[in-house]
Amino acid sequence: MALDRFGRDIHYLRISLTDRCNLRCVYCMPEDMTFRPRPELMQDDELQLLVQLFIQLGFHKFRLTGGEPTVRSDIVEIVRRIAHTPGVRSFSMTTNGLLLKKLAQPLAEAGLQRVNISIDTLDPVKFKRLTRWGEVEEVWDGIVAAEAAGLTPIKLNAVVVRGYNEDDLPDLAALTLYHNWQMRFIEMMPFGDVANFQQSQIVTAQEMRDKIEAAFGALIPVEGGKLDGEARLYRLPEGLGDLGFISSVTEPFCASCTRARLTADGKLRMCLLREYEVDLLTPLRAGATLDDLKALILKAVYHKPWGHGLAHNVVPLNRVMSEIGG
Ligand code: SAM
């Protein structure tokens, strides 16, 4: 078991496979983003070795993210390798869904269990404005393919951005009237060069709930408003699926955080919103022993920050979201 100094059991690793993405969402990265040369990213064997080490230290829940994980050309093989590593109990992916129409079935056959798919609006014009060039129909095809392939329960993510999609919450929430999906609304978090925009255009979880209640009436808390991971769950009256609100900025859930993040260039980041990272890939390439690497991981876990410092205006500047993975 990997415990931090506050006694939290850290067992959930989110792995970014690449910093590249086939979209340029306004809340995620600058339009002129430059990407790391591929040799600087973890290669398949390196990734597999690190996953094995994390499992030996008590990690059992894994999620692939990015950038966009599906743009990695060998994504199905990566999924197969991780899924078949003894000790992996939960294995999912966060994706924009654009490539799922063709990849959902092969990914499911390779052992992926579930997907979270990002869809910030159902309006094609607004979707293009938010993502700078995406086609929302392709995401919809991806959601349908994921459900058909059994990558369920389907969870959908929408980051809410003032001036872009805050009026679309009722339409997104209404998806749960007819589908047993979890529609999650995310408060925008600030990072690096995009932080000013992110802080000025944030919509709080309370405002999101108010907008949905204005359209549908009072939301019904699921299991007394308990957290599901980072999402606080509600239902629409008559709803089949759930609504989740992720309030990382205004109502953080750091006390129950069990996560660590491995960036595509092999840095172990212990809090999404703190710059603290420990490099694993450089020592691995320099010939560190497995015991050395495990000691580095345990040290990083031990020093996991308690939580973010947004209330004190501490914003992480060393990476934007697409370089960390959500
Ligand atoms: N490309 C994939 C996708 O679109 O889901 C995976 C990577 S993306 C960085 C992971 C999640 O982070 C997505 O749900 C995305 O909407 C969310 N995200 C990106 N930037 C964010 C921000 N500034 N604040 C909150 N969530 C953000």
Side-chain angles (χ1 to χ4, degrees), residues 21 27-28 65-69 94-96 118 157 159 186-189 191 198 321 325-326:
C21 190
Y27 51 76
C28 193
T65 178
E68 173 49 40
T94 301
T95 169
N96 60 33
S118 299
N157 289 342
V159 177
I186 305 175
E187 283 181 349
M188 184 163 51
M189 292 175 275
F191 296 90
Q198 289 157 327
M321 185 69 149

Side-chain angles (χ1 to χ4, degrees), residues 165-183:
N165 64 342
E166 81 269 33
D167 295 332
D168 297 28
L169 273 57
D171 285 349
L172 289 166
L175 293 174
T176 64
L177 290 174
Y178 312 105
H179 302 278
N180 190 10
W181 297 342
Q182 190 181 105
M183 181 70 233

